């Protein structure tokens, strides 16, 4: 494919830099560095434009911290000015990165994502008997700088643009000449682009119809066990020889009917289930958020946002029954009222009937407690199916026996 050139002028255009500022500001308007940049927007844009043209704009100022969920990772948060720079570069280069990627890679791409990767994997599971699942060991930390720069030069020929790519890549190292910082916008595109030769090898050299990749997690399908073992050896050799990457353990091979763990789910030919690890993480996080809400460490809005995000993840699998059972269970002994409408209905069922309360406290008539719920009518009808009421035939038969007596 022909290399792309003469696009650096589009990167340093003031309109592109202002667009990059707007994109970098989403969700960060409360931060002091964003407010300071916005207060002197015209001056900051001009300083960035001159710095990019002259090649002396500062990069590599990271705030580093560790996360431990689901495993230990070092996150490098770039300064706000550098975030604007990354958005300015990718706003121009993203369409060119997109052109070179194959259809069946789903990470960090518009119109793709985790949900579509799972559905694509399920479609391949319906037509194949065997699968192979693999991922790269410490992928971001093990990307070699020299090989990445060579791949970028095979696609771009603008020297000023490539010079800024080199400067951003060289700002981070886990060991000399290796590693990409987790947290940079550019790292997502560089890492996704770095595994494009593996995609081409699987689709064009091995002629695989069933192949899906989400960042460094990839799976492939075949109808022959012998062939898929040979494919495993070829993939391991290509990753080590051409890309300098090591796969995590030995790629896992099994029959499709036993299910495949992929992206936190368990994929079968007819359904997608939540795997045990994701199920346990969901339970632990929801209970932790309930405790934080009850102790005042979290507001109700933050609680709702976080639980909504967790629920959106598990909704990708067939978890409707499991979620109803989980939210029906009482919360931990933290002294909070149930917030979910399903729990409110369950709480209403546990209260004694109105006539019984009147007998216990004769005199003033008590008003039945109302339940505030904003669910649509169709959802309420489904919930009411679980609340048992005696059928009309019971009252008719009882009335007939009474008149006969």
């Amino acid at each position: 494919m022909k290399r792309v050139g003469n696009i650096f002028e589009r990167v340093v255009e003031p309109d592109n830099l202002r667009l990059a500022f707007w994109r970098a500001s989403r969700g960060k308007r409360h931060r002091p560095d964003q407010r300071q940049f916005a207060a002197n927007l015209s001056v900051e844009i001009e300083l960035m434009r001159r710095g990019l043209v002259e090649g002396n704009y500062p990069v590599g100022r990271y705030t580093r911290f560790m996360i431990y969920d689901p495993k230990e990772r070092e996150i490098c948060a770039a300064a706000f000015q550098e975030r604007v720079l990354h958005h300015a570069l990718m706003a121009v280069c993203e369409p060119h990165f997109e052109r070179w990627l194959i259809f069946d890679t789903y990470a960090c791409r518009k119109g793709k994502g985790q949900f579509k990767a799972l559905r694509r994997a399920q479609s391949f599971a319906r037509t194949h008997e065997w699968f192979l699942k693999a991922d790269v060991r410490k992928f971001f930390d093990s990307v070699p700088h020299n090989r990445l720069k060579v791949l970028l030069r095979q696609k771009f020929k603008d020297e000023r643009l490539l010079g800024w790519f080199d400067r951003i890549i060289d700002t981070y190292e886990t060991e000399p000449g290796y590693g990409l910082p987790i947290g940079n916008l550019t790292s997502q595109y560089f890492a996704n682009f770095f595994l494009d030769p593996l995609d081409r090898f699987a689709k064009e050299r091995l002629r695989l119809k069933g192949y899906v990749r989400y960042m460094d997690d990839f799976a492939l399908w075949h109808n022959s066990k012998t062939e898929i073992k040979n494919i495993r050896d070829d993939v391991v050799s290509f990753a080590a020889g051409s890309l300098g990457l090591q796969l995590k353990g030995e790629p896992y091979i099994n029959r499709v009917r036993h299910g495949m763990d992929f992206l936190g789910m368990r994929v079968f030919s007819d359904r997608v289930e939540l795997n045990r690890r994701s199920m346990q993480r969901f339970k632990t996080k929801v209970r932790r958020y309930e405790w934080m809400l009850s102790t005042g460490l979290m507001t109700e809005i933050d609680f709702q946002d976080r639980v909504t995000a967790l629920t959106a993840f598990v909704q990708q699998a067939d978890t409707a029954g499991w979620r109803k059972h989980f939210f029906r269970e009482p919360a931990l002994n933290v002294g909070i009222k149930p917030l979910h409408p399903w729990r409110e209905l369950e709480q209403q069922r546990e209260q004694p009937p109105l006539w019984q309360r009147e007998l216990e406290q004769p005199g003033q008539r008590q008003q039945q407690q109302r339940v505030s719920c904003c669910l649509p009518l169709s959802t309420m009808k489904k919930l009411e199916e679980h609340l048992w009421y005696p059928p009309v035939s019971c009252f008719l038969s009882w009335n007939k026996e009474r008149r006969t007596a």
Side-chain angles (χ1 to χ4, degrees), residues 98-327:
E98 180 71 20
R99 282 170 49 198
W100 294 310
L101 297 176
I102 67 170
F103 177 82
D104 284 320
T105 178
Y106 290 85
C108 306
R109 300 179 67 186
K110 294 180 180 179
K112 300 288 185 177
Q114 184 183 21
F115 178 77
K116 290 193 175 182
L118 289 169
R119 295 308 171 191
R120 184 68 166 171
Q122 186 181 12
S123 67
F124 288 134
R126 294 192 185 103
T127 56
H128 296 82
E129 185 177 357
W130 295 87
F131 72 85
L132 181 148
K133 167 67 174 62
D135 61 339
V136 180
R137 181 192 303 273
K138 295 183 178 179
F139 175 50
F140 278 84
D141 293 341
S142 60
V143 173
H145 291 179
N146 292 335
R147 297 179 189 238
L148 175 59
K149 293 175 183 178
V150 169
L151 287 176
L152 290 172
R153 279 162 173 77
Q154 292 177 1
K155 307 302 180 183
F156 297 94
K157 61 181 180 181
D158 196 317
E159 290 299 330
R160 290 183 295 177
L161 177 67
L162 291 171
W164 278 106
F165 283 166
D166 294 346
R167 289 192 61 186
I168 293 173
I169 293 171
D170 293 336
T171 57
Y172 179 85
E173 288 181 335
T174 53
E175 57 183 271
Y178 289 87
L180 290 175
I182 302 177
N184 271 9
L185 177 67
T186 53
S187 297
Q188 301 177 13
Y189 289 94
F190 290 161
N192 208 16
F193 173 71
F194 185 73
L195 287 181
D196 180 67
L198 177 63
D199 302 337
R200 302 285 177 178
F201 176 76
K203 300 294 289 186
E204 298 173 3
R205 294 279 298 277
L206 300 179
R207 300 290 182 179
L208 291 175
K209 295 182 179 179
Y211 175 85
V212 172
R213 180 174 69 85
Y214 189 91
M215 197 53 76
D216 63 316
D217 291 340
F218 63 93
L220 54 91
W221 290 261
H222 206 278
N223 287 319
S224 172
K225 183 178 181 180
T226 304
E227 290 295 330
I228 205 169
K229 286 184 176 180
N230 296 333
I231 291 171
R232 176 184 60 188
D233 298 336
D234 295 338
V235 169
V236 172
S237 300
F238 180 84
S242 299
L243 300 177
L245 301 175
Q246 299 294 328
L247 300 186
K248 186 184 298 183
E250 185 177 357
Y252 182 67
I253 296 176
N254 204 344
R255 292 184 181 272
V256 170
R257 67 169 180 263
H258 297 310
M260 177 186 68
D261 282 342
F262 188 57
L263 305 181
M265 307 292 175
R266 194 160 183 83
V267 180
F268 295 86
S269 59
D270 57 341
R271 66 191 185 279
V272 176
E273 297 180 355
L274 199 66
N275 64 16
R276 293 183 180 180
R277 186 176 180 181
S278 298
M279 191 178 300
Q280 186 60 40
R281 288 180 62 200
F282 179 86
K283 293 180 179 180
T284 303
K285 286 189 174 183
V286 171
R287 296 311 188 197
R288 185 193 309 161
Y289 296 155
E290 288 180 341
W291 176 82
M292 293 175 66
L293 177 64
S294 66
T295 55
L297 298 176
M298 180 182 294
T299 63
E300 292 187 2
I301 295 178
D302 293 337
F303 175 83
Q304 182 180 5
D305 292 341
R306 298 200 180 191
V307 174
T308 300
L310 291 174
T311 306
F313 171 76
V314 300
Q315 279 181 338
Q316 300 179 77
D318 303 328
T319 58
W322 177 78
R323 282 185 284 113
K324 287 181 180 180
H325 177 74
F326 173 75
F327 284 115

Side-chain angles (χ1 to χ4, degrees), residues 40-104:
N40 305 295
L41 182 59
S42 300
V43 177
E44 293 286 353
I45 292 296
E46 181 61 23
L47 290 175
M48 181 176 293
R49 190 191 67 81
R50 290 182 182 179
L52 289 174
V53 173
E54 298 173 1
N56 56 9
Y57 197 76
V59 293
R61 296 167 294 173
Y62 296 122
T63 301
R64 307 191 181 202
F65 57 93
M66 303 297 296
I67 63 172
Y68 302 92
D69 186 24
K71 57 184 178 181
E72 184 178 354
R73 298 179 187 270
E74 183 184 32
I75 305 299
C76 298
F80 183 79
Q81 292 84 350
E82 294 183 46
R83 290 176 180 268
V84 176
L85 170 60
H86 298 164
H87 279 278
L89 291 170
M90 291 302 109
V92 177
C93 299
E94 179 185 7
H96 303 291
F97 281 114
E98 180 71 20
R99 282 170 49 198
W100 294 310
L101 297 176
I102 67 170
F103 177 82
D104 284 320

